[in-house]
Short mmCIF file of all heavy atoms in Angstrom, two decimals:
data_model
loop_
_atom_site.label_atom_id
_atom_site.label_comp_id
_atom_site.label_asym_id
_atom_site.label_seq_id
_atom_site.Cartn_x
_atom_site.Cartn_y
_atom_site.Cartn_z
N PHE A 203 8.83 175.18 155.73
CA PHE A 203 7.71 176.05 155.46
C PHE A 203 7.60 177.23 156.38
O PHE A 203 7.16 178.32 156.04
CB PHE A 203 6.39 175.23 155.43
CG PHE A 203 6.14 174.54 154.11
CD1 PHE A 203 6.44 173.17 153.97
CD2 PHE A 203 5.72 175.22 152.98
CE1 PHE A 203 6.24 172.54 152.77
CE2 PHE A 203 5.52 174.59 151.79
CZ PHE A 203 5.79 173.28 151.65
N ARG A 204 8.03 176.99 157.65
CA ARG A 204 8.04 178.13 158.58
C ARG A 204 8.99 179.20 158.09
O ARG A 204 8.68 180.37 158.13
CB ARG A 204 8.45 177.64 159.99
CG ARG A 204 7.29 177.30 160.90
CD ARG A 204 7.72 177.33 162.38
NE ARG A 204 8.88 176.54 162.68
CZ ARG A 204 8.88 175.17 162.85
NH1 ARG A 204 7.74 174.53 162.79
NH2 ARG A 204 10.00 174.53 163.14
N LYS A 205 10.11 178.75 157.58
CA LYS A 205 11.11 179.70 157.07
C LYS A 205 10.58 180.38 155.80
O LYS A 205 10.87 181.59 155.57
CB LYS A 205 12.44 178.99 156.82
CG LYS A 205 13.62 179.94 156.60
CD LYS A 205 14.02 180.65 157.84
CE LYS A 205 15.11 181.68 157.54
NZ LYS A 205 15.32 182.58 158.72
N LEU A 206 9.88 179.62 154.98
CA LEU A 206 9.36 180.18 153.75
C LEU A 206 8.30 181.29 154.07
O LEU A 206 8.17 182.24 153.33
CB LEU A 206 8.70 179.14 152.87
CG LEU A 206 9.72 178.29 152.06
CD1 LEU A 206 9.07 176.98 151.55
CD2 LEU A 206 10.25 179.10 150.89
N ASP A 207 7.56 181.11 155.19
CA ASP A 207 6.58 182.13 155.58
C ASP A 207 7.25 183.48 155.69
O ASP A 207 6.65 184.51 155.37
CB ASP A 207 5.99 181.78 156.95
CG ASP A 207 4.94 180.68 156.84
OD1 ASP A 207 4.35 180.56 155.74
OD2 ASP A 207 4.67 179.98 157.85
N GLU A 208 8.52 183.51 156.19
CA GLU A 208 9.22 184.76 156.37
C GLU A 208 9.50 185.50 155.05
O GLU A 208 9.38 186.72 154.98
CB GLU A 208 10.61 184.51 157.00
CG GLU A 208 10.54 184.23 158.49
CD GLU A 208 11.94 183.87 159.04
OE1 GLU A 208 12.93 184.34 158.41
OE2 GLU A 208 12.01 183.12 159.99
N ILE A 209 9.86 184.75 154.01
CA ILE A 209 10.26 185.41 152.76
C ILE A 209 9.09 185.70 151.87
O ILE A 209 9.18 186.54 150.97
CB ILE A 209 11.33 184.51 152.02
CG1 ILE A 209 12.08 185.33 150.97
CG2 ILE A 209 10.74 183.29 151.42
CD1 ILE A 209 13.05 186.32 151.50
N ARG A 210 7.99 184.97 152.09
CA ARG A 210 6.85 185.06 151.21
C ARG A 210 6.42 186.46 150.83
O ARG A 210 6.19 186.72 149.61
CB ARG A 210 5.73 184.27 151.87
CG ARG A 210 4.45 184.33 151.13
CD ARG A 210 3.40 183.87 152.11
NE ARG A 210 2.20 183.59 151.37
CZ ARG A 210 1.65 182.38 151.30
NH1 ARG A 210 2.15 181.37 151.98
NH2 ARG A 210 0.56 182.19 150.61
N PRO A 211 6.25 187.44 151.78
CA PRO A 211 5.78 188.77 151.35
C PRO A 211 6.75 189.47 150.39
O PRO A 211 6.33 190.43 149.72
CB PRO A 211 5.69 189.55 152.66
CG PRO A 211 5.85 188.60 153.75
CD PRO A 211 6.50 187.36 153.22
N HIS A 212 7.97 188.97 150.30
CA HIS A 212 8.93 189.67 149.48
C HIS A 212 9.11 189.01 148.10
O HIS A 212 9.95 189.42 147.28
CB HIS A 212 10.29 189.72 150.17
CG HIS A 212 10.18 190.35 151.54
ND1 HIS A 212 10.13 191.70 151.75
CD2 HIS A 212 10.06 189.78 152.76
CE1 HIS A 212 9.96 191.94 153.07
NE2 HIS A 212 9.92 190.76 153.68
N ILE A 213 8.34 187.93 147.86
CA ILE A 213 8.42 187.21 146.55
C ILE A 213 7.36 187.84 145.67
O ILE A 213 6.18 187.60 145.81
CB ILE A 213 8.15 185.73 146.74
CG1 ILE A 213 9.16 185.14 147.78
CG2 ILE A 213 8.27 185.02 145.42
CD1 ILE A 213 10.62 185.24 147.40
N ALA A 214 7.81 188.62 144.69
CA ALA A 214 6.88 189.29 143.80
C ALA A 214 6.32 188.25 142.80
O ALA A 214 5.16 188.31 142.40
CB ALA A 214 7.56 190.43 143.06
N VAL A 215 7.19 187.35 142.38
CA VAL A 215 6.77 186.39 141.33
C VAL A 215 7.25 185.01 141.71
O VAL A 215 8.43 184.84 142.06
CB VAL A 215 7.38 186.77 140.01
CG1 VAL A 215 6.87 185.85 138.88
CG2 VAL A 215 7.07 188.21 139.61
N TRP A 216 6.36 184.06 141.61
CA TRP A 216 6.75 182.66 141.71
C TRP A 216 6.86 182.12 140.30
O TRP A 216 5.85 181.95 139.62
CB TRP A 216 5.70 181.88 142.52
CG TRP A 216 5.57 182.39 143.91
CD1 TRP A 216 4.69 183.29 144.38
CD2 TRP A 216 6.32 182.00 145.02
NE1 TRP A 216 4.85 183.52 145.73
CE2 TRP A 216 5.84 182.70 146.16
CE3 TRP A 216 7.36 181.04 145.24
CZ2 TRP A 216 6.41 182.55 147.43
CZ3 TRP A 216 7.90 180.91 146.49
CH2 TRP A 216 7.42 181.66 147.58
#
Side-chain angles (χ1 to χ4, degrees):
Chain A
F203 278 102
R204 266 201 308 278
K205 192 69 185 170
L206 280 164
D207 283 335
E208 283 175 29
I209 196 73
R210 177 196 193 118
H212 307 280
I213 304 298
V215 184
W216 298 93

